[in-house]
C-alpha cells in the first residue's frame, strides 16, 4: 500500500520535495493533500502538482484522515510547534531542517512520538549518503547519535 503524504506549506522546498516524491512509483508514495496558511496558495499548489485535496490551514490538514505522513516545509520558527500539532493528530512527520530554533526547544518533547506511536524525522538527507554512512562507522557515537 502506498504511503499517503500531506504537504504542509506551499513554498519553495515543499515544491522541490513534491517534485522529488512524485518521481517515485505511485504504488509506493501518494500525495493526498496540501495545507497552507492561505487556501488560494494551497489550491494553486494542488493544481500544479495534481494533489486531490487543498486546505487553507495546517489544522485542517492535521484532521485529514487520509494523511499518514506529513512533510513539513513551513518557515523555521514554526517547525517544532507544527511537528507537535501533526504528531498530536497521530501523523508521522518529516520535518524540514532545522527541527527547532535551538536545542533547548526540543528538550522535553522527546516522549510525544513514542506516546503517540508516530515517526518523527528531521530531514537531514545527507545522513543517508553512502559516504556519510561509511564515515559514521569510523568514530564512537555521541549522545545525539551524531
Ligand atoms: N529552499 C531550500 O533549498 C531549503 C529549505 N529548507 C528549510 O525549509 C523551510 C522552508 O524554506 P523555503 O521553502 O525555502 O521557504 P519559503 O520562503 O518558500 O517559505 C516556506 C513556507 O513558509 C511559510 N511562511 C513564509 N513566510 C512566513 C512568515 N513570515 N510567517 C509564517 N509562515 C511563513 C509559507 O507557508 P504557507 O505556504 O503555508 O503560507 C511558505 O510557503 C525553512 O525552514 C528552510 O530552512 C531546508 C533545506 C533546503
Ligand atoms: O536540504 C536541502 O534541500 C534542497 C537543497 O537545494 C539544499 O542544498 C539542501 O540543503
Amino acid at each position: 500500500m502506498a504511503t499517503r503524504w500531506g504537504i504542509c506549506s506551499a513554498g519553495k522546498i515543499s515544491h522541490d520535495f513534491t517534485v522529488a516524491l512524485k518521481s517515485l512509483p505511485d504504488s509506493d508514495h501518494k500525495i493526498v493533500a496540501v495545507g497552507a496558511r492561505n487556501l488560494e496558495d494551497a489550491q494553486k499548489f494542488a493544481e500544479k502538482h495534481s494533489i486531490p485535496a487543498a486546505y487553507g490551514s495546517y489544522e485542517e490538514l492535521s484532521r485529514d484522515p487520509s494523511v499518514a505522513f506529513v512533510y513539513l516545509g513551513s518557515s523555521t520558527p514554526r517547525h517544532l510547534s507544527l511537528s507537535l500539532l501533526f504528531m498530536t493528530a497521530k501523523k508521522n512527520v518529516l520535518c524540514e531542517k532545522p527541527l527547532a530554533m535551538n536545542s533547548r526547544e526540543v528538550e522535553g518533547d522527546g516522549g510525544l512520538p513514542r506516546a503517540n506511536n508516530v515517526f518523527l524525522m528531521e530531514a537531514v538527507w545527507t545522513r543517508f549518503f553512502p559516504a556519510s554512512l561509511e564515515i559514521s562507522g569510523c568514530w564512537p557515537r555521541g549522545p545525539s547519535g551524531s
Side-chain angles (χ1 to χ4, degrees):
M1 196 173 119
T3 301
R4 290 165 285 105
W5 290 84
I7 305 292
C8 172
S9 283
K12 292 195 256 319
I13 198 69
S14 290
H15 166 86
D16 289 2
F17 180 81
T18 297
V19 170
L21 198 61
K22 285 181 83 82
S23 72
L24 300 174
D26 223 36
S27 52
D28 289 347
H29 296 279
K30 247 193 187 93
I31 302 179
V32 295
V34 56
R37 288 177 302 168
N38 179 304
L39 181 58
E40 213 172 273
D41 292 345
Q43 285 170 334
K44 262 191 221 151
F45 192 96
E47 199 176 314
K48 186 170 186 176
H49 297 289
S50 307
I51 298 171
Y55 300 111
S57 74
Y58 305 142
E59 288 73 16
E60 285 170 277
L61 179 65
S62 79
R63 290 195 291 269
D64 183 331
S66 69
V67 172
F69 253 90
V70 172
Y71 171 76
L72 216 165
S74 65
S75 63
T76 304
R78 300 208 61 192
H79 285 182
L80 185 60
S81 60
L82 289 173
S83 292
L84 295 172
L85 168 81
F86 289 114
M87 289 192 295
T88 300
K90 304 270 174 85
K91 309 296 185 196
N92 302 287
V93 174
L94 175 60
C95 179
E96 238 338 315
K97 55 194 172 309
L99 177 61
M101 300 296 281
N102 56 59
S103 59
R104 246 178 309 132
E105 279 189 355
V106 286
E107 281 163 16
D109 285 324
L112 187 63
R114 205 160 278 132
N116 277 10
N117 198 25
V118 289
F119 175 88
L120 167 67
M121 182 178 160
E122 185 181 29
V124 186
W125 60 306
T126 48
R127 281 186 78 159
F128 300 97
F129 286 4
S132 307
L133 294 173
E134 189 68 29
I135 292 165
S136 70
C138 294
W139 55 74
R141 285 183 165 273
S144 67
S146 58

